[in-house]
Amino acid sequence: MSEEDARPGEWPLLVRIPVEPVEAAVEADALAAAARYSALAVRGPLFGVAAQDGGRRWRVVIEVTHSCPQQACDALNSLLWFRAKDAAKSRQERRALLAAVARLEEKSVDELIVLGTRYRGAGRRIRSCRRQRWYRDAATEPLTPDWSPRAGADSPRIDVDLVLDPDVPLSPAQAAERIALRPLAYSGTGFPAPVLADSARAVESYPDVLLMPAAFLIVERSGGGPWSPGSGLQATAHNARRTLDFALTWMEPRTRGLIPYDAAPTVDARHPPASTTDAVAAKLKEFAQAADRLRTGLCNEVEAHGTVYHIARTRRLLRWRPDRPEGPRPSDTSTHTPAALHPRLDENGTVHFDEPAGDESAC
């Protein structure tokens, strides 16, 4: 079947019935959640980079969390620069890596082959569609939650070593969801006409879909208004709760002027300055109490000062065709243009800090 003839539903899925106790519990949880939370909140695109891992398998090398294509392109630029600096085994290998870096400094590219590895997107587009469903994912919960300050540095990072394989066996719930989402496209008057047109074309040209593992984020709303994102994506629900705990006790008090920005790092809503007035202390206490509730069981929603904070589960959807994930859409835009990000690195591995980034000799 040619790429031009590909249509939704023409690729069979391998379905495997869960038999292990944990798999069966996850499947039951997914089916129950689908029944309780059938509506989808479709968000805007996110971007990352994948490298071809053989056949239809691709491996994520730049996490699919960036809000514009050029951010992901910049991340690939840095990945290749540091590989040239720290991991190149020969001048020839370093020269090839630096040539790719130079190309990324000059223009946005949609695909790049470096030392035999094919990078899809090259920082431009791996299509993502955030789908929010408001329920707990018990499979990702730690046995003993760690709320210590060091826990953030040791916590799982999103998309690390993630392999994208459209042919992996699926559970019945996963297969049904994937088939149901194949025709998904943007709709409604809230989207510009070019975005709607690109989305409709993508259903035809990239008719299969792949759902990435669940991720979690903070969403919030005030006064009964719409929900809006309050954080970036996290690999686990507990990571999102810990992020919210920090926001409530440390960041929000400083943002609202309840604690000076230049206060010691240990000063927060739980440990206010000694000179705090009674009125300010009462406001800080409300933040502290909301954060404390997060540490009670598997709490996913708290309220403080009229704002409701919720831990949301989200899935990112990648459109696919037999040879690759979806590439660029003309309606996607970036906030900035390509540029040199690092000092010049020569083929011997020497970093020239005295030369400005972007010097012509870098190429």
Side-chain angles (χ1 to χ4, degrees):
M1 179 175 57
S2 69
E3 295 175 355
E4 290 75 17
D5 294 334
R7 290 295 182 271
E10 292 183 324
W11 285 284
L13 301 179
L14 179 60
V15 180
R16 180 175 60 83
I17 303 300
V19 293
E20 296 295 332
V22 173
E23 290 180 321
V26 171
E27 179 77 353
D29 194 25
L31 290 171
R36 293 195 308 271
Y37 303 93
S38 57
L40 303 179
V42 180
R43 313 300 297 180
L46 299 172
F47 302 88
V49 180
Q52 194 164 22
D53 215 32
R56 292 224 293 165
R57 288 163 49 100
W58 291 69
R59 176 173 43 87
V60 175
V61 295
I62 300 298
E63 64 275 12
V64 187
T65 60
H66 298 276
S67 60
C68 81
Q70 190 57 46
Q71 288 179 350
C73 197
D74 291 345
L76 179 61
N77 181 328
S78 289
L79 176 72
L80 298 178
W81 189 90
F82 280 103
R83 186 175 296 171
K85 174 179 174 291
D86 301 325
K89 296 180 176 60
S90 66
R91 289 185 180 181
Q92 182 180 5
E93 183 176 330
R94 186 174 291 112
R95 193 180 300 122
L97 290 165
L98 292 176
V101 169
R103 186 179 178 191
L104 291 169
E105 290 174 346
E106 295 171 357
K107 63 183 296 185
S108 295
V109 293
D110 302 320
E111 189 167 294
L112 197 63
I113 297 178
V114 186
L115 295 172
T117 298
R118 181 188 183 192
Y119 295 92
R120 177 62 179 167
R124 287 295 306 268
R125 281 114 180 134
I126 294 177
R127 199 69 190 176
S128 299
C129 176
R130 286 188 286 180
R131 303 171 46 253
Q132 294 171 356
R133 285 187 174 178
W134 321 94
Y135 65 91
R136 172 173 62 90
D137 194 325
T140 68
E141 302 293 351
L143 294 176
T144 305
D146 189 348
W147 296 93
S148 63
R150 63 173 176 78
D154 299 332
S155 61
R157 292 173 51 206
I158 197 166
D159 293 347
V160 171
D161 298 324
L162 177 62
V163 174
L164 306 173
D165 186 356
D167 301 316
V168 71
L170 304 174
S171 73
Q174 291 170 336
E177 185 176 29
R178 184 164 152 187
I179 291 172
L181 290 172
R182 280 175 171 171
L184 179 67
Y186 291 137
S187 62
T189 58
F191 295 98
V195 172
L196 294 174
D198 284 348
S199 185
R201 278 192 294 268
V203 173
E204 296 296 319
S205 55
Y206 290 84
D208 203 1
V209 298
L210 186 147
L211 289 169
M212 298 182 69
F216 303 84
L217 75 160
I218 302 165
V219 293
E220 56 188 59
R221 68 175 178 180
S222 301
W227 292 98
S228 60
S231 75
L233 298 184
Q234 302 288 337
T236 68
H238 182 65
N239 286 0
R241 291 191 199 99
R242 189 170 49 239
T243 300
L244 180 54
D245 181 278
F246 174 79
L248 292 171
T249 59
W250 201 95
M251 184 57 69
E252 283 288 345
R254 284 166 169 78
T255 301
R256 300 190 183 206
L258 303 176
I259 294 176
Y261 272 105
D262 59 357
T266 55
V267 173
D268 60 18
R270 293 189 178 100
H271 310 93
S275 59
T276 301
T277 65
D278 291 343
V280 170
K283 293 179 180 180
L284 292 175
K285 183 178 181 180
E286 184 169 346
F287 278 125
Q289 289 175 336
D292 289 343
R293 286 194 292 275
L294 285 172
R295 303 190 180 199
T296 303
L298 299 177
C299 178
N300 288 326
E301 185 171 294
V302 296
E303 183 175 355
H305 297 291
T307 298
V308 178
Y309 302 89
H310 191 94
I311 306 302
R313 184 183 192 269
T314 184
R315 298 291 298 275
R316 291 160 295 160
L317 178 151
L318 307 182
R319 287 214 159 271
W320 210 275
R321 71 185 193 186
D323 63 329
R324 63 192 184 197
E326 184 188 6
R329 291 184 182 181
S331 57
D332 291 326
T333 59
S334 286
T335 59
H336 59 286
T337 57
L341 305 177
H342 302 283
R344 186 172 75 87
L345 176 68
D346 65 29
E347 64 181 29
N348 296 314
T350 302
V351 180
H352 296 263
F353 292 101
D354 56 333
E355 296 182 15
D359 190 282
E360 292 183 358
S361 61
C363 299

